[in-house]
Amino acid sequence: MKAAVIKAVNTVEVCDIKKPEVKKGHVLLKVAYGGFCGPTEMCMIEGIHPRAKFPLVFCHEFSGIIEETAPGSAYNKGEAVTVNPLVTCGECYVCRSGNSYICEKLKLIGIDSDGGFAQYCLVPEANLVRIPAGMPLKLAAFAEPVAVGVHAVRGSPFKAGDTAMVLGAGPIGLITAMCLKAAGAGEIIVAEKDQRRLAFVRELGFEAAGGLEDFKKNNKRVIDQIFDTTGAPAVLPYAVDLVKIKGFIAIVGKFDYPAPVNLHDVLFKELTISGFRVYKDAEFAQAVRLIAKNAADFEKLITDVYALDDINQAIEGFKGRKNLCKIMLKASTDC
């Protein structure tokens, strides 16, 4: 079968590899679409991910059609599904306390084992999520990052009618904005320095904020919650400045370096700052339903679709910031 394989540092090749054989507790999935998660994929490609080992078929955001099942399976050939890639141990204190999504030994399909940038993938049945009838498989592959946004919004004190600000107009930032919209936000402000993305923010119907320094000087509104999806240390201090007294700041983007946060203001404003990593199983399922209900909105966020053969073109597009929002790769021509 054809697959995109990270062979070595900065070396991705589309090549023929052995098609997986179905085994007990698993299904053989014919992959339809796989999402390109830029930060994670580039971390692996550049050889700095702490767990990824080469050679690796990558991609942890994907959907497809069940091709083959093992005896006794709860699934049938031909069913359309998406994949929750989280693999937990079920034994550590975190799992036993009901928070398995942040398992001490958490692994992901597409990082710790072969994933979705291939024509076929062997997937544990426990990681399959059925999708509603008629839901496009391209949108089903979008469920994983949308689940991240669902988790952040559900975990915040957000209430319908609140004013929320999202820092960053990348895929996770705009997904979070869409989740806030679906949850009934009164106002949604999206801050972004890239001019193309700012224009896209306006096209999507959100208020766009360019320079945060100017916004801080001119804004007179009460901002109830701020969702930082940038992972940029220089940006986080603005969240502390802009959010209301007793406000809430959600850290959704991954910070690779410490941020210079003014803890004096955190103390005097009695702010709550909380981190959000991946999602619970129920939130992944909710993301599927949310996409199905708001398909037109989420479809707008998938701005670039490549064939699997063009994986390196997709990588170069991401590195050059040529892609406006979410990148998808189509693994099968007949799905």
Side-chain angles (χ1 to χ4, degrees), residues 174-212:
L174 293 176
I175 284 168
T176 302
M178 287 295 186
C179 290
L180 288 163
K181 176 184 176 181
E187 292 182 273
I188 302 169
I189 306 153
V190 180
E192 170 63 48
K193 65 179 181 180
D194 183 281
Q195 292 302 313
R196 290 176 64 239
R197 285 185 169 179
L198 272 176
F200 188 50
V201 167
R202 295 186 186 97
E203 287 177 21
L204 294 171
F206 301 120
E207 180 180 342
L212 283 171

Side-chain angles (χ1 to χ4, degrees), residues 113-132:
S113 61
D114 284 345
F117 284 155
Q119 289 177 304
Y120 297 92
C121 183
L122 189 66
V123 181
E125 285 196 15
N127 294 83
L128 299 175
V129 178
R130 289 183 174 94
I131 65 174

Side-chain angles (χ1 to χ4, degrees), residues 52-294:
K53 307 298 181 186
F54 306 150
L56 174 70
V57 179
F58 59 127
C59 179
H60 60 277
E61 310 171 3
F62 58 105
S63 65
I65 302 292
I66 294 175
E67 178 76 7
E68 187 178 351
T69 62
S73 173
Y75 289 84
N76 299 306
K77 180 177 179 177
E79 284 194 82
V81 296
T82 187
V83 176
N84 179 337
L86 306 188
V87 179
T88 61
C89 74
E91 300 175 353
C92 69
Y93 167 76
V94 180
C95 284
R96 289 186 283 108
S97 67
N99 294 302
S100 60
Y101 70 102
I102 45 174
C103 169
E104 292 177 352
K105 301 175 183 177
L106 184 69
K107 298 184 184 301
L108 271 77
I109 298 167
I111 295 175
D112 300 280
S113 61
D114 284 345
F117 284 155
Q119 289 177 304
Y120 297 92
C121 183
L122 189 66
V123 181
E125 285 196 15
N127 294 83
L128 299 175
V129 178
R130 289 183 174 94
I131 65 174
M135 183 177 188
L137 286 164
K138 182 172 69 172
L139 286 176
F142 208 23
E144 198 278 343
V146 172
V148 173
V150 168
H151 178 57
V153 174
R154 281 175 56 92
S156 77
F158 172 84
K159 303 182 296 298
D162 281 357
T163 294
M165 187 172 195
V166 178
L167 305 182
I172 294 298
L174 293 176
I175 284 168
T176 302
M178 287 295 186
C179 290
L180 288 163
K181 176 184 176 181
E187 292 182 273
I188 302 169
I189 306 153
V190 180
E192 170 63 48
K193 65 179 181 180
D194 183 281
Q195 292 302 313
R196 290 176 64 239
R197 285 185 169 179
L198 272 176
F200 188 50
V201 167
R202 295 186 186 97
E203 287 177 21
L204 294 171
F206 301 120
E207 180 180 342
L212 283 171
E213 191 63 39
D214 288 340
F215 185 85
K216 185 172 74 169
K217 290 177 183 176
N218 300 321
N219 176 65
K220 303 300 180 185
R221 287 167 292 180
V222 172
I223 298 177
D224 299 293
Q225 293 94 27
I226 293 183
F227 296 78
D228 188 351
T229 71
T230 67
V235 172
L236 185 58
Y238 286 99
V240 174
D241 291 340
L242 291 167
V243 76
K244 71 179 184 181
I245 291 173
K246 298 192 76 70
F248 184 89
I249 299 171
I251 307 299
V252 191
K254 177 177 173 288
F255 280 74
D256 293 320
Y257 304 98
V261 177
N262 185 337
L263 294 179
H264 177 277
D265 285 354
V266 172
L267 172 68
F268 273 72
K269 292 176 74 173
E270 291 201 352
L271 304 181
T272 300
I273 302 176
S274 185
F276 293 93
R277 175 189 175 198
V278 294
Y279 36 78
K280 300 176 183 179
D281 288 349
E283 291 165 340
F284 192 100
Q286 185 179 20
V288 172
R289 296 192 296 271
L290 187 68
I291 296 168
K293 186 176 180 180
N294 301 276

